[in-house]
Amino acid sequence: MEMLLSLDKIPQLHNILCSCFTWILLAGFVVIPGSFTSLKKLEAKTNGEIIPGSPAANAILSSVAETSVTVIGFICMGIGTTGAIWLGLRWRKNYVWLLNKLYMPLMLNGLAGVISTLTNVYSQQKGEWRTQAIVAISVEGGVLSCATVLFGLYNFWLLDRVKDEHEELTVASVGTGSEESGDSGKRKSIWGRVGDLGRRPPLAPGSVV
């Protein structure tokens, strides 16, 4: 209950920044795959000769433009990741806010980035993994993995532990029978908690947990 009440204490600016950082990170994930260039194909087009206005020169200019887009994409990824880490550390004790505002969006954005990169590499680049593609998939996979692990940790262990403690205190305060008290002290396994996702209501309207 304290976490739900403390949601009102989180500054509006931090909610706005959280949305901005996750969307900036997603923008980087979307922009990066579209800027991949096969240098081998470019070299084949130029044949070592560069004539102004020729297809070879245009290919080089296009490559330079795509390199700029790549830099912008990685900058977006850096800003989004740094901001998400800062907010995650700042509000690390508010599990409900972290799950709703940070870890769930990061998990979905990371998945979208991985799918986008894989689609581009195997459809446009014919399976050729360049350095920027490897770096991009590493960052996207890292964000997806970390967000998924943190979401599971907070949702199925830390938050459930707080719920169990709250239920035990509630049962003790109302003085119900020992049988009910003993039943409330029994904690379900991780798989049992996962199975309850389709039945238990969220903690608050609009919440995912």
Side-chain angles (χ1 to χ4, degrees):
M1 292 299 296
E2 293 181 359
M3 292 185 186
L4 293 177
L5 295 175
S6 63
L7 289 176
D8 296 332
K9 299 179 181 179
I10 296 178
Q12 185 179 11
L13 177 61
H14 286 195
N15 288 315
I16 296 174
L17 287 176
C18 186
S19 298
C20 290
F21 287 139
T22 54
W23 277 102
I24 289 174
L25 184 62
L26 178 60
F29 289 165
V30 173
V31 168
I32 288 293
S35 65
F36 295 161
T37 303
S38 176
L39 296 181
K40 293 181 179 179
K41 295 179 180 179
L42 180 61
E43 292 171 356
K45 290 181 180 179
T46 58
N47 292 324
E49 298 179 0
I50 302 177
I51 302 174
S54 65
N58 293 333
I60 293 176
L61 292 176
S62 177
S63 176
V64 172
E66 290 174 346
T67 301
S68 301
V69 173
T70 302
V71 173
I72 294 174
F74 279 116
I75 290 176
C76 289
M77 291 169 63
I79 294 175
T81 303
T82 303
I85 293 174
W86 169 61
L87 288 174
L89 294 175
R90 175 63 179 82
W91 298 106
R92 62 186 179 276
K93 294 183 179 180
N94 196 313
Y95 306 156
V96 177
W97 187 86
L98 287 175
L99 289 168
N100 285 320
K101 295 291 186 178
L102 196 62
Y103 295 150
M104 175 63 80
L106 286 177
M107 189 166 56
L108 297 177
N109 290 351
L111 178 61
V114 170
I115 293 174
S116 179
T117 299
L118 291 175
T119 301
N120 185 279
V121 169
Y122 287 103
S123 64
Q124 302 296 325
Q125 306 302 322
K126 297 182 179 180
E128 181 182 4
W129 285 88
R130 304 294 301 177
T131 302
Q132 57 191 20
I134 295 175
V135 173
I137 197 71
S138 299
V139 175
E140 294 159 355
V143 170
L144 174 60
S145 301
C146 290
T148 302
V149 170
L150 289 172
F151 184 88
L153 175 65
Y154 275 79
N155 189 42
F156 298 117
W157 186 52
L158 294 177
L159 186 59
D160 274 357
R161 188 175 64 176
V162 173
K163 291 179 182 177
D164 292 339
E165 292 175 354
H166 175 71
E167 291 177 358
E168 291 174 0
L169 291 175
T170 302
V171 171
S173 63
V174 298
T176 55
S178 59
E179 181 179 352
E180 294 181 358
S181 178
D183 291 340
S184 66
K186 296 179 180 179
R187 296 180 180 177
K188 293 184 178 180
S189 63
I190 295 295
W191 296 113
R193 294 171 184 177
V194 173
D196 287 342
L197 288 178
R199 295 189 296 270
R200 69 181 183 185
L203 292 175
S207 175
V208 299
V209 297

